Structure formats: C-alpha cells, structure tokens
Amino acid sequence: MFEEAFNMSTNNSYKLADIGRSNPIFSQVRSTIETAFYGNNMTHIPNVATAYELAVQGPGTIQTDLPIYRPTDLGLPADAKMLIDNTGKVVGRTAQARRILGDEGVDEADMAGRLRQAVYNGQQKHFIKTDVLVGLDEDFIVQAHLAIPDGYANNLLSYMLNFQPITEHYQKMFDNSVAYPEGDIYIYADPSYHDPDYPDGLALFDPKHNAAAILGMPYFGELKKSTLTLAWSIAHRHGYVSCHGGLKAFHFKDKQDQVFAMFGLSGSGKSTLTHAKHGYKYDITVLHDDAFVINRKNGSSVALEPSYFDKTNDYPMTSDETKYFMTIQNVGVTLDDQGRKVLVTEDLRNGNGRTIKSRYASTNRVDKENAPINAIFWIMKDDSLPPVIKVDDPVLAATFGATLATKRSSAENIVGDVDRNALVIEPFANPFRVYPLSEDYHDFKALFEERHLDCYLLNTGFFGDKKIPKEITLGALEAIVNNTTEWESFAGCDHMQNLKLADFPVDYDNTDYRQLVATRLGIRANFVDQYQHTHNDRLPHEITDILVKLQRQLTDKVTR
C-alpha cells in the first residue's frame, strides 16, 4: 500500500491517508525525534559554507593557519582553514551507552519518556539542523537529518563534510534512486543533556524506523556511527550486505579484476591495507576504508561516505597526508617557526585524535565498484595465528567472520575495569549492528557459497611474541593478486592453509602451540554459546560444530 507512494530511496513527506499508526514508517520514538526538528528553536543550515562560518565563530573552535585543499570543490569558502574542536575526558565512542529498541531489557515506553524529557529540555536551547545523503550511487542512497545545539556547530560541519551534502548533482541522484518503503534517517543530538540514569550518555536507536537520539556525548564519532548504523540497517533490509570495512580493486586488462574487502576494528590496519598503493605496480581503485554495502545479487559495492574519519596519530605535520585534513578533533596546537597555528598530532595530547579527511586523499577513489567482489579478509589480532591463512569452506569462512577476534582500540571509550589487551570477539568487525547476528552470518555465508568468494584470515598483530610488519601483510596481498602464493596445511585442520613465510614458520608439532590455537577456537565457541544465552537470536549449530571439530583435530594426536 505505502510502497507505491515512494519515488526515491527514502521519504520525509506522505499523503494524508498514509499518516498514522497503520504506516510502518512511524513509531513513538521516531515521531518524538522528527517532531523536534520543526520547533521554533531550530535553524536550518542549508550548505557547507554556512556551516563553516558558524563553526569558525564557535567559542571552542581553534582556527588554524592551515588552508583546506580544494575548498570550493568541497562547498567551503575559498579561504577556509582547518578547524579544531576538542572534547574533554572522553575522546572515543561509548559502546555501553547504546540502547536498541527490540533488544531484551530495552523498554520502548520508558525510553520514549526519557527522550521526550530531553527534547523538552532542549526547547530552551537554540538548535541547528541540516540534511545529508548517505550512499553515493542511485543503487543505494538515503537521506539523513541531524539536529544539534548551536554550540556544537563544529560537529554539524564535520557531519556535512563526512557525509554527502545535498548539491544539485546529488539531489538528482537521490531523486532517481531505487525506491525503498523507508522513512529518512533522523538523528537528534544534545551533548549537554544528561539523563540522570545514564551518566555516561545515552545513544537510543529505533532501527526499524530509522531514528536515533545521542544524548550526553559530544564526541563526533557518535554522530557518524549512529547514522551509519541506521543506513546499514536499511541496506540490510533491501538486498545488501552491510560492511564495516575497506574495499579496493586491482584492475587488469588480461584477466579478471580482483576486488578485496578488508574487515577489522579501528586500529587493525584495514585503512592502511585499503589505501596502500603497492608501489604503483597495479591499477588500483579504492571504494572506501570504513563503510560500504555489497549488492547480494550482483556483487557490486557502493560507498556510504565521500570522506574519511581518520586517526591523526600517524600523521605529524611533515606528513603529506595532513594536506587533506578539513576538521580535526582532539589534537594539540602550537606555533611553527613562521608563527602559524599548526597541529600537534601523534596522540600527544590524548588518544584517538581524529580528522575528517577529504576524498581527495585518494587519487584513485570510486563511489561504486561495479566489478563483483571476489575475496574477503578477516583482520584478526590473535597471536596464535600466523600472518595469513586461507579458508576454503563457506561455513568456516562465515564462522571466522562471526567470531572475529581482535583487541580493543583507542577509538572506544571503555567504561569500567576492562583490559584493552584482552582478546575480544566482534562479529564481522561491526559493533554497530542493530539486527540479529544470524542474519549477517547467513548473508556472508551466501557470498562465500553462491558467489564463490575466497576467504583469508590476516593477523596484523603479533604471531607469538613477534610483531608482524605491515610489509609482510602487503606482500601477501600482492602474492594473492599475482597468484604466486605457496600454501601448506595449517596444523592438519580441515579447510585451512597458511601462507608459507620464511620469517614466520609454524611449528605444527609443538603440543603447546596446538593447544593454544585450540584454546583460541574455544574462546570463539564460548562466544557463540554465550551469545545464544543472552540474545533472542539463534546461530546455526554448524558454527559450533565446525569449531569443535577443529579443536579436536588440534588436540588429538595427528600423524604428519
């Protein structure tokens, strides 16, 4: 009934007959959030240039003397300078603040009441709001709206620069886009409002209705990831595999293109691997290093953002990469020998310094990769694993994705006594999923099974006590592209082979080593068991079965 009324991807206006409880687009929380956008305390910011002028005047803003590269192409004033906005103690995402409607223990009536109180308090503040697009191709492009108090104009500017501002070109793309029975995304943010029962902040999501409220948290990453959370959820409902990772393609004239997707948490190396130019030996294009979606039917991929939200710790002022910075968060400032205000990076002031880096940082950037994906790399930080393992079974390939093991990064604000160095499981490297994990498992398994994707495990941390340098990993990628790899059975485990590397030999006969690998597989199996007990979701038995089988192969005496 309602689908017939849609003529573009997502919608924010409806026929009178379609407004009400019977329309699945509407909900209590969505209505509360959207209604706030029409208040007298809201001022619409129509473009990036206006947002920049507001941000420059912010009391917490530091305007550097560093010019932004190609400013007018980005919608900025011709003399635009890089702007810095620093928060306080918290300089990362607070995962513990997330509350998702539909999850056990999250009461919609209670959360709606808290949200109404936040919006009511916000009526005494002046807010600014804007509109952006998420997704950069007619195949997948959705509209998102943000409202935030005007004291946080830097966050609004960063939001417009991170996602796609609505220009004439992109408005036409949106108008001609594939239509979905979905409402636009609405994000209501008030960093200065603190619910008394959520002192660390509250990030409330209504994923089925594309609405979220971010309260008590000024870190920009909360706005970026909340928007991606909802966009990924829309994509998942409409024929896409949602990906928190990077994708690059190697193009050839005499053989099939190689399209690689890298999945790993912040700090795992996925951005480094995605953007690596490999000495310009190949014709490479980059889709994105953080957020994209894969079409389940044809294997093509669409980027969700034009820009990059990058860590600054690897970029001192002498780095050419700083040329592409636009807004910067949580870094230091000093004067250079010319008296210019410049950046102090390398996480000297605090961990997780960040920048919105323009698309021009990638000379080989594309917004859609038409060539179908043919390999997925799960990036681990598990010191029991050698640098590269090939997995040739769809169930095991999807299982390693569903039990991706890594370590926490500085991008996260950890509440409580948590060991950052402990091995943790983050399924498919996506802590932003708001639909059942089993659905992601089946989506990725289908890619391996039906599209015959290759699967690799990359360890970018330590193997034992030996650090794996990025040159080893990059060299392995090139060997895979060139089809010059030499594999050997990984400890006799079914469907697993490790890349033979002289600097990283694997001692398969060492009983302690085999037990260590078995223990790490046990951690993955325990995660699956605990997930089943704490979520209203059921993962297939084949996951546990294959992990237990591998454990037995490792711990039983094997004649080699």
Side-chain angles (χ1 to χ4, degrees):
M1 169 184 175
F2 302 106
E3 194 164 352
E4 296 174 359
F6 301 138
N7 56 12
M8 60 186 72
S9 177
T10 55
N11 286 262
N12 67 350
S13 61
Y14 316 90
K15 294 178 180 179
L16 289 177
D18 291 344
I19 298 174
R21 287 184 180 274
S22 58
N23 189 333
I25 283 177
F26 292 98
S27 73
Q28 185 177 21
V29 164
R30 179 184 175 87
S31 184
T32 303
I33 289 173
E34 182 185 355
T35 299
F37 278 70
Y38 307 118
N40 284 340
N41 64 328
M42 294 276 172
T43 298
H44 183 254
I45 307 303
N47 53 55
V48 172
T50 305
Y52 177 83
E53 295 302 340
L54 274 177
V56 165
Q57 298 167 20
T61 298
I62 300 172
Q63 183 176 16
T64 71
D65 294 308
L66 303 169
I68 293 176
Y69 180 63
R70 296 177 64 173
T72 56
D73 292 332
L74 297 163
L76 291 161
D79 61 349
K81 302 294 194 297
M82 299 178 196
L83 303 183
I84 296 172
D85 181 43
N86 290 334
T87 58
K89 181 179 179 181
V90 176
V91 292
R93 287 179 288 100
T94 304
Q96 292 91 332
R98 289 167 69 91
R99 297 294 183 275
I100 302 166
L101 294 189
D103 279 5
E104 190 173 347
V106 181
D107 182 77
E108 182 172 9
D110 172 62
M111 287 297 167
R114 295 177 188 277
L115 179 58
R116 289 195 304 274
Q117 189 61 43
V119 171
Y120 177 71
N121 281 38
Q123 290 173 0
Q124 307 306 313
K125 306 171 188 175
H126 179 229
F127 273 64
I128 49 180
K129 62 180 182 177
T130 196
D131 321 302
V132 297
L133 297 170
V134 187
L136 303 174
D137 187 81
E138 288 179 9
D139 281 1
F140 188 81
I141 182 170
V142 300
Q143 187 165 213
H145 312 273
L146 170 70
I148 193 167
D150 65 358
Y152 299 91
N154 270 285
N155 272 355
L156 184 128
L157 172 62
S158 291
Y159 192 81
M160 297 182 79
L161 291 172
N162 184 85
F163 294 108
Q164 179 57 54
I166 301 178
T167 62
E168 183 179 352
H169 169 74
Y170 281 96
Q171 183 64 57
K172 180 184 277 189
M173 180 185 292
F174 182 65
D175 292 343
N176 294 326
S177 62
V178 176
Y180 301 124
E182 301 274 358
D184 288 356
I185 292 170
Y186 281 89
I187 308 287
Y188 178 90
D190 189 348
S192 59
Y193 178 81
H194 293 271
D195 184 291
D197 294 326
Y198 294 90
D200 297 311
L202 175 62
L204 174 62
F205 292 86
D206 184 356
K208 292 182 180 178
H209 304 96
N210 305 333
I214 310 300
L215 306 174
M217 295 180 288
Y219 175 61
F220 170 75
E222 302 285 1
L223 303 179
K224 169 188 160 76
K225 291 302 187 186
S226 64
T227 305
L228 289 174
T229 291
L230 297 176
W232 275 321
S233 186
I234 295 170
H236 171 73
R237 290 194 288 268
H238 297 285
Y240 286 87
V241 181
S242 296
C243 302
H244 179 222
L247 186 141
K248 71 193 300 181
F250 298 80
H251 300 282
F252 300 95
K253 295 180 180 178
D254 57 350
K255 63 178 181 178
Q256 180 186 358
D257 291 345
Q258 300 289 304
V259 183
F260 292 173
M262 324 280 179
F263 293 82
L265 283 184
S266 177
S268 67
K270 73 175 186 295
S271 294
T272 299
L273 297 176
T274 302
H275 290 292
K277 295 179 172 60
H278 300 272
Y280 300 94
K281 291 178 284 191
Y282 306 95
D283 176 13
I284 295 174
T285 53
V286 171
L287 183 76
H288 204 264
D289 67 357
D290 188 62
F292 63 97
V293 294
I294 301 171
N295 187 307
R296 292 202 290 258
K297 287 184 179 179
N298 61 27
S300 65
S301 305
V302 176
L304 297 188
E305 309 162 293
S307 305
Y308 307 103
F309 187 45
D310 204 356
K311 289 173 176 269
T312 60
N313 61 318
D314 290 333
Y315 307 129
M317 279 305 303
T318 52
S319 168
D320 292 339
E321 206 70 17
T322 60
K323 171 183 178 180
Y324 305 105
F325 290 7
M326 296 183 290
T327 59
I328 308 105
Q329 300 87 36
N330 298 316
V331 298
V333 177
T334 192
L335 301 178
D336 69 4
D337 55 5
Q338 301 174 47
R340 301 182 306 165
K341 291 193 290 290
V342 297
L343 312 178
V344 179
T345 57
E346 300 179 291
D347 282 359
L348 182 65
R349 177 185 183 268
N350 49 261
N352 199 41
R354 288 277 179 166
T355 179
I356 308 293
K357 196 167 67 174
S358 80
R359 64 179 299 127
Y360 303 123
S362 297
T363 55
N364 51 351
R365 173 66 192 267
V366 295
D367 292 335
K368 180 182 181 182
E369 182 52 68
N370 287 301
I373 183 173
N374 58 0
I376 281 177
F377 296 77
W378 304 127
I379 305 176
M380 313 276 189
K381 286 198 171 181
D382 178 348
D383 60 10
S384 74
L385 298 178
V388 189
I389 290 178
K390 184 176 183 178
V391 178
D392 62 13
D393 175 71
V395 171
L396 186 56
T399 293
F400 273 116
T403 60
L404 191 145
T406 189
K407 294 182 180 179
R408 295 295 182 197
S409 80
S410 63
E412 298 170 274
N413 171 42
I414 304 296
V415 177
D417 186 18
V418 177
D419 182 3
R420 282 192 183 272
N421 292 314
L423 199 68
V424 295
I425 306 295
E426 195 59 77
F428 303 106
N430 191 352
F432 314 107
R433 182 185 308 96
V434 286
Y435 49 84
L437 172 58
S438 60
E439 295 179 13
D440 255 356
Y441 173 80
H442 289 298
D443 282 353
F444 279 99
K445 181 186 171 187
L447 286 179
F448 292 118
E449 205 162 45
E450 297 168 14
R451 301 205 60 81
H452 310 293
L453 268 63
D454 293 328
C455 176
Y456 302 92
L457 314 182
L458 297 180
N459 180 6
T460 57
F462 284 78
F463 180 43
D465 59 0
K466 188 173 182 180
K467 179 73 176 78
I468 301 169
K470 66 180 180 181
E471 291 76 15
I472 288 288
T473 310
L474 291 170
L477 290 184
E478 293 180 15
I480 291 169
V481 169
N482 298 333
N483 197 25
T484 57
T485 51
E486 185 179 352
W487 303 95
E488 61 184 357
S489 172
F490 178 65
C493 292
D494 289 348
H495 308 296
M496 296 177 70
Q497 298 172 291
N498 67 280
L499 182 64
K500 293 183 72 172
L501 295 167
D503 291 339
F504 291 89
V506 183
D507 187 359
Y508 303 120
D509 294 322
N510 186 303
T511 303
D512 291 340
Y513 174 68
R514 297 175 71 88
Q515 185 59 56
L516 174 63
V517 177
T519 299
R520 295 294 166 79
L521 291 172
I523 290 173
R524 291 168 169 86
N526 288 338
F527 167 82
V528 173
D529 183 60
Q530 290 173 8
Y531 177 86
Q532 313 259 45
H533 283 90
T534 56
H535 293 77
N536 187 24
D537 183 24
R538 286 292 169 264
L539 294 168
H541 288 294
E542 62 191 18
I543 297 178
T544 302
D545 290 346
I546 202 163
L547 289 171
V548 169
K549 181 180 179 181
L550 291 174
Q551 284 179 277
R552 286 174 179 162
Q553 289 176 337
L554 286 160
T555 54
D556 289 350
K557 187 174 181 180
V558 177
T559 303
R560 298 180 64 246

